[in-house]
Amino acid sequence: MPFRTIDLCAGIGGIRKGFEMTGNYVNVLSAEVDKYACLTYEHLYGENPSNDLTSEEFKNLVDNTEYEVLLAGFPCQTFSRAGNEEGFNDKEKGIIFNHIADIIERTRPRAVFLENVDNLVRHDKGNTFKVIINKLESDLNYKVIGINYDVSGNPVVKGNEKRFIRNSKHFGVPQNRPRTYIVAFDRERYDANILNTLPDLPQGNDLHLYEDLNELLEFRAEPKYYMSSGYLDTLIRHREREHKKGNGFGYRVVNEPGIENHLANTIMATGGSGKERNLVYDPQDGIAGMTVSTKKTVLNDKGIRVMTPREWGKLQGFINYAFLDEDGVEHFAFPPEISPAQQYKQFGNSVTIPVIQTMAEFMVNCFRILGDIPNE
């Protein structure tokens, strides 16, 4: 203790942070190719993660790095319903998992933690998820938490998909964000009988950062966050057309009066619909009819705005949680060169830190069962 981690597809370090918050893990190597995410990561952790995990140079670096746990929130857009759903056919991002598997095979960490969109388990009629599980179980000889086996000892994936999906709304934040989590332990290191006694992934935690979404929101936002009247009218007409077709598509005001248990919808790296499905009712004097230089029409008279980047950061646990010190001082900040558009993208592309922290604590308990940590 602590267990050493490598942080692959690191983004702005949400997975790393969740693990390190337990006090049981320390990160020793990172890899990220997005230059703006690298800037934020370095600003937060003092380390530049600019490495390409698909390169032989980086794989050789991992070969010579002592570590115990591999972390990876591998690219989700290729499996996402909001993306192109090309999966492994995406030549740039779809094969990232294969490179992660290569690193696992070459270095054999004690454990693996992977995160992706909930649609991963359904993509290509479940075949994508089956390929991933079979790679880990059959080819690499890792025990995946939540997998059952047939009489021949082969992993059974179909019918077990829900055992891998957990929702951020059950982990202390008001965001409806289902995600796929895969945790696996090395069979070549641990006793098979003990591995088969490990519990399922946690369903939630006891954390309650906010009573509901309204407590998280920061009202009386700057005018630039309010929607123009023309754009809001376009969204209203679009939703009316969709509803006439029997579809539920369209914008949503997430704190609309009369809604019980206000929750944000999933925030997305692509922005766009991630913002429109998370509009906020925040009326204040002087906003209606105001002219803002970046908008084609005057601001709307219904008090409707998009969420701010800070609010997205709170939904993911970066702000008002993970970077608070013991005196309650906030230490999360973006470097000055990160634009608001990039801030939305980086939060939407990241993870919900309280979920990751709970998963990291769960893995500590598994290590204790497996004998790596003495019983308290």
Side-chain angles (χ1 to χ4, degrees):
M1 297 284 284
F3 296 104
R4 292 163 294 190
T5 62
I6 64 171
D7 189 14
L8 308 183
C9 310
I12 61 172
I15 293 179
R16 167 187 177 155
K17 186 65 176 179
F19 272 74
E20 290 189 339
M21 286 180 73
T22 69
N24 295 305
Y25 304 86
V26 60
N27 197 67
V28 294
L29 186 64
S30 306
E32 176 55 53
V33 294
D34 183 284
K35 66 177 182 179
Y36 297 108
C38 287
L39 288 172
T40 300
Y41 194 103
E42 185 171 13
H43 187 73
L44 294 174
Y45 302 101
E47 303 166 18
N48 188 340
S50 183
N51 288 301
D52 181 356
L53 68 84
T54 70
S55 70
E56 190 61 26
E57 179 184 7
F58 180 75
K59 290 178 182 179
N60 287 332
L61 184 58
V62 180
D63 288 342
N64 292 288
T65 300
E66 293 188 6
Y67 77 103
E68 287 78 42
V69 184
L70 180 146
L71 313 174
F74 60 106
C76 63
Q77 293 92 336
T78 57
F79 307 111
S80 172
R81 286 163 293 185
N84 55 26
E85 292 199 65
E86 288 187 3
F88 290 128
N89 293 324
D90 186 302
K91 293 180 181 179
E92 179 183 354
K93 296 178 179 177
I95 61 172
I96 294 295
F97 173 76
N98 293 332
H99 289 283
I100 293 171
D102 185 35
I103 291 172
I104 294 170
E105 185 172 24
R106 290 167 63 151
T107 59
R108 296 213 69 84
R110 298 186 189 193
V112 174
F113 176 85
L114 305 176
E115 181 268 353
N116 209 285
V117 293
D118 63 323
N119 197 54
L120 179 70
V121 302
R122 294 180 290 272
H123 181 264
D124 190 20
K125 300 179 180 179
N127 290 322
T128 296
F129 192 58
K130 185 176 181 180
V131 167
I132 291 172
I133 296 301
N134 282 336
K135 185 69 175 179
L136 291 168
E137 282 272 354
S138 303
D139 296 348
L140 298 176
N141 200 23
Y142 276 72
K143 162 63 183 176
V144 176
I145 298 294
I147 283 293
N148 294 327
Y149 306 91
D150 62 21
V151 292
S152 299
N154 299 311
V156 178
V157 178
K158 191 171 180 60
N160 287 318
E161 295 89 349
K162 289 184 179 180
R163 299 177 77 174
F164 298 89
I165 297 176
R166 296 294 183 268
N167 197 317
S168 297
K169 68 181 182 180
H170 298 135
F171 291 81
V173 294
Q175 182 187 179
N176 182 32
R177 188 184 186 86
R179 282 294 187 267
T180 299
Y181 299 95
I182 301 172
V183 174
F185 293 88
D186 183 10
R187 280 202 185 89
E188 293 184 5
R189 171 179 289 272
Y190 300 112
D191 181 272
N193 292 324
I194 300 178
L195 282 170
N196 290 331
T197 68
L198 296 179
D200 274 0
L201 301 178
Q203 297 283 349
N205 61 27
D206 295 327
L207 188 66
H208 295 286
L209 292 179
Y210 309 97
E211 286 300 317
D212 69 3
L213 184 61
N214 278 313
E215 190 177 350
L216 175 148
L217 296 172
E218 299 180 355
F219 293 104
R220 301 188 64 79
E222 296 177 59
K224 65 182 179 181
Y225 294 110
Y226 284 80
M227 304 196 80
S228 69
S229 56
Y231 188 36
L232 181 57
D233 287 344
T234 297
L235 291 180
I236 291 172
R237 290 195 300 270
H238 171 71
R239 186 165 75 170
E240 289 173 349
R241 287 195 302 269
E242 291 298 324
H243 282 200
K244 287 179 180 177
K245 297 176 185 176
N247 299 325
F249 305 138
Y251 75 91
R252 184 179 172 213
V253 180
V254 289
N255 68 328
E256 210 164 25
I259 297 177
E260 292 185 14
N261 302 321
H262 294 121
L263 283 176
N265 290 301
T266 301
I267 60 174
M268 302 177 184
T270 52
S273 60
K275 292 181 182 179
E276 293 157 9
R277 294 283 291 160
N278 281 300
L279 300 182
V280 174
Y281 179 64
D282 183 12
Q284 56 176 309
D285 293 339
I287 292 293
M290 181 184 291
T291 299
V292 175
S293 61
T294 57
K295 301 179 188 293
K296 294 180 179 179
T297 55
V298 299
L299 300 186
N300 75 89
D301 60 0
K302 295 179 172 61
I304 303 299
R305 65 170 175 86
V306 298
M307 285 190 182
T308 67
R310 268 189 57 84
E311 289 166 338
W312 277 32
K314 292 166 80 172
L315 285 171
Q316 295 286 56
F318 280 84
I319 295 173
N320 201 37
Y321 181 64
F323 289 85
L324 287 177
D325 65 20
E326 57 187 14
D327 296 319
V329 176
E330 179 65 67
H331 291 278
F332 179 88
F334 285 107
E337 59 266 49
I338 300 299
S339 68
Q342 278 292 329
Q343 292 175 25
Y344 281 119
K345 179 181 177 181
Q346 290 179 11
F347 282 141
N349 203 33
S350 194
V351 294
T352 308
I353 293 178
V355 183
I356 304 301
Q357 182 182 2
T358 302
M359 294 295 174
E361 291 167 347
F362 164 79
M363 291 180 69
V364 168
N365 182 53
C366 290
F367 283 127
R368 186 171 287 112
I369 294 170
L370 293 168
D372 279 343
I373 306 172
N375 288 319
E376 297 177 350

